Amino acid sequence: MPDSLVMDWTTLLSTRRFKLKNGHIEAARAIGGGDPASGLRSDFHIDHDRLVFSSAFRRLGRKTQVHPLAVNDHTHNRLTHSMEVASVGRSLGNQVGAMLAAAGHLPGSITPFDIGAVVQVACLAHDLGNPPFGHTGEDALRDWFRNPDNTHWLAPLSRAEQSDIRSYEGNAHGLRMVSSLELYVGEGGMRLTSAALGALVKYPWTSDTYPERGKFNIYRSELGYFEAIASELGLIRRGSSEWVRHPLSYLMEAADDICYAILDLEDAVEIGMLDMEEFERALGGLVGIEKSWPISDPRQRCSALRGSAVGKCVNEVAGRFMAFEHQLRRGEFPAKDLISVCSPAVRDTVQGAKELASRRIYRHRTKLMTEIAAYPCMGALLDVLIPPAFALSTGKTLSTREHLHLALMDRKIEASDTPYQAYMKVLDFIGAMTDNTAATLAREVSGIGIH
């Protein structure tokens, strides 16, 4: 491959932000660095603060991680999960940053801690697009549009637009959240740095290949915006709507894998789905188990084991990133993710933890019942909102009832909206809900429990 197709850290770490004005994408005003008005925050610290203070981030506190509508105060929700992933991601980024600096790869204006900050920001944002009820909620939204009774609502849409609407994807909605729906709504969203947005995007392609290829990160509504980001970063283009991943996205992905693999098991011990011995066996191949440990309290023992396991994973993943650094910048990484190229102790422990969770936690009856209920819940909301969205966007006269239905939405559908734009607003509204809000609203619009 020619050198021109090797991505360069100078551009991969761009702090440029983009905005939308009158349908045109342009660079936003520089606001970081040594500007006194910025409070001496770096550009990446500004990214961090915009995320943490956003409504979308706050709502993660009431969204499912593993256990829907959990009542145990110690189990994770999407907010605590995202914060822990960000902590692990920052550690990974700091280590990789130090090694990149030692190898002479970092631009002069970038410190190792900037690498940690970029990965931390991506980790904080990685679950913003998850709808109520997590991955089951995603599937419930897709299921409604694929039901033969509902496919006629998609008739006015192009094939690409239909693919987006039929394929609700939390990753793509996360990019939409930060680039369209929060802060500067419709004008670049949070206007995060290009580096942070690049690190956030795990699947830099559109929905064209769904479901064959699985997940994707880019809806048609954000394609032009991401094209500007990809050009600024120097991401290698693979097709009309596909790019090579930003190398730092692999660190964000690894931080997420490490956290949910290990911490899902810790939650399971907390609520009694697993016993302490099973947890110890799951991590024993990585950290070893000292029966003489003076820690007898199960919660503290879990914490100690988890901390040791996470630390070993971080050291290993950072080293493997550097081993494949040049291949990552060429878009030629030979594996699915960094965990899969780690030592057997790390790789097998993470994979084994996921398999144990799949057998014993994800199919537990308490989780299954809520997931089953997610389908009629999501369906009830779409039943109420899609017909009037279709009517208004296609020039039809709305009934009084349809006007009432659309009044539920905080971001109003306009008569000038196309059906695609109207449906995306519906998905924005439902996808942003917490589990409790979705369950309550579905119950209320059905008339059940009316006083």
Side-chain angles (χ1 to χ4, degrees):
M1 179 182 289
D3 288 344
S4 61
L5 290 182
V6 178
M7 296 180 284
D8 182 81
W9 285 113
T10 301
T11 53
L12 286 169
L13 297 171
S14 171
T15 59
R16 180 168 290 178
R17 305 168 190 273
F18 289 91
K19 64 181 179 180
L20 275 71
K21 284 293 185 182
N22 301 318
H24 298 288
I25 300 168
E26 57 189 65
R29 179 176 63 90
I31 55 178
D35 180 358
S38 73
L40 300 180
R41 296 177 297 165
S42 75
D43 284 285
F44 306 127
H45 291 152
I46 292 170
D47 286 346
H48 173 278
D49 294 348
R50 287 186 174 185
L51 277 163
V52 167
F53 283 91
S54 70
S55 298
F57 188 73
R58 197 158 53 245
R59 286 193 298 267
L60 292 177
R62 299 303 297 272
K63 288 200 174 191
T64 290
Q65 171 58 20
V66 174
H67 307 286
L69 306 173
V71 295
N72 188 300
D73 290 339
H74 293 276
T75 56
H76 291 80
N77 53 47
R78 288 283 171 186
L79 181 64
T80 53
H81 167 73
S82 295
M83 293 172 67
E84 290 173 347
V85 172
S87 180
V88 173
R90 183 186 61 220
S91 295
L92 279 168
N94 287 345
Q95 284 202 30
V96 165
M99 290 187 280
L100 287 171
H105 292 327
L106 287 189
S109 60
I110 297 293
T111 72
F113 299 110
D114 287 327
I115 304 298
V118 172
V119 180
Q120 179 184 32
V121 167
C123 291
L124 284 172
H126 85 283
D127 268 350
L128 287 185
N130 276 36
F133 312 111
H135 296 307
T136 302
E138 288 179 297
D139 193 62
L141 292 169
R142 299 172 193 141
D143 182 74
W144 190 91
F145 282 105
R146 292 174 183 178
N147 186 319
D149 293 338
N150 299 320
T151 54
H152 63 283
W153 301 117
L154 300 176
L157 277 62
S158 70
R159 183 174 180 179
E161 291 172 339
Q162 288 187 23
S163 180
D164 279 359
I165 299 300
R166 289 162 56 92
S167 311
Y168 186 103
E169 171 55 53
N171 291 286
H173 240 84
L175 178 63
R176 179 170 168 80
M177 190 72 71
V178 299
S179 62
S180 296
L181 304 180
E182 286 275 339
L183 194 56
Y184 299 101
V185 179
E187 297 185 351
M190 295 186 193
R191 298 180 184 173
L192 302 180
T193 59
S194 296
L197 289 170
L200 170 64
V201 174
K202 287 169 60 177
Y203 312 104
W205 50 81
T206 59
S207 64
D208 297 357
T209 59
Y210 190 88
E212 292 80 12
R213 195 169 181 178
K215 298 179 180 182
F216 62 94
N217 246 113
I218 309 169
Y219 289 129
R220 294 290 163 180
S221 51
E222 281 68 55
L223 180 55
Y225 192 84
F226 188 77
E227 282 184 311
I229 298 295
S231 177
E232 173 67 19
L233 295 171
L235 299 185
I236 299 169
R237 195 160 195 158
R238 285 280 171 80
S240 61
S241 55
E242 180 179 349
W243 291 262
V244 164
R245 290 174 64 175
H246 191 295
L248 295 183
S249 72
Y250 286 91
L251 295 181
M252 180 270 290
E253 177 182 44
D256 186 28
D257 282 349
I258 291 166
C259 284
Y260 88 74
I262 296 173
L263 292 165
D264 283 359
L265 298 187
E266 187 176 6
D267 278 354
V269 174
E270 178 68 39
I271 63 177
M273 287 185 180
L274 291 179
D275 58 40
M276 188 64 208
E277 289 72 21
E278 291 173 299
F279 184 73
E280 291 180 345
R281 284 197 299 272
L283 301 187
L286 179 59
V287 301
I289 303 299
E290 294 294 335
K291 295 299 183 182
S292 60
W293 272 15
I295 305 173
S296 58
D297 179 85
R299 187 176 293 159
Q300 292 181 15
R301 194 171 177 86
C302 274
S303 296
L305 287 169
R306 175 250 301 150
S308 179
V310 170
K312 289 179 182 293
C313 287
V314 166
N315 291 335
E316 173 77 12
V317 168
R320 300 314 292 163
F321 180 95
M322 290 304 298
F324 288 94
E325 185 268 343
H326 192 65
Q327 287 166 281
L328 287 166
R329 288 193 293 117
R330 291 169 66 94
E332 295 178 346
F333 183 59
K336 174 180 177 291
D337 52 43
L338 286 170
I339 297 293
S340 64
V341 296
C342 284
S343 66
V346 168
R347 184 191 64 227
D348 296 348
T349 295
V350 172
Q351 185 58 38
K354 291 179 180 180
E355 291 172 357
L356 178 59
S358 180
R359 294 195 311 271
R360 297 288 303 281
I361 303 170
Y362 302 151
R363 298 297 90 188
H364 193 276
R365 189 177 187 280
T366 57
K367 181 169 169 57
L368 285 175
M369 295 311 294
T370 303
E371 291 187 342
I372 289 169
Y375 287 85
C377 176
M378 297 287 97
L381 298 178
L382 291 170
D383 284 341
V384 163
L385 295 172
I386 289 298
F390 171 84
L392 185 60
S393 62
T394 54
K396 295 181 171 54
T397 301
L398 272 65
S399 67
T400 300
R401 181 178 182 179
E402 288 175 323
H403 278 293
L404 291 172
H405 289 175
L406 288 186
L408 291 169
M409 294 178 55
D410 46 10
R411 188 173 176 223
K412 303 304 180 187
I413 296 174
E414 307 291 341
S416 57
D417 286 335
T418 66
Y420 174 75
Q421 292 169 330
Y423 294 170
M424 288 301 292
K425 286 183 177 181
V426 170
L427 292 176
D428 294 340
F429 175 64
I430 296 175
M433 290 180 185
T434 65
D435 296 6
N436 288 325
T437 298
T440 299
L441 185 58
R443 184 167 58 250
E444 289 175 341
V445 298
S446 72
I448 297 173
I450 192 169
H451 296 293

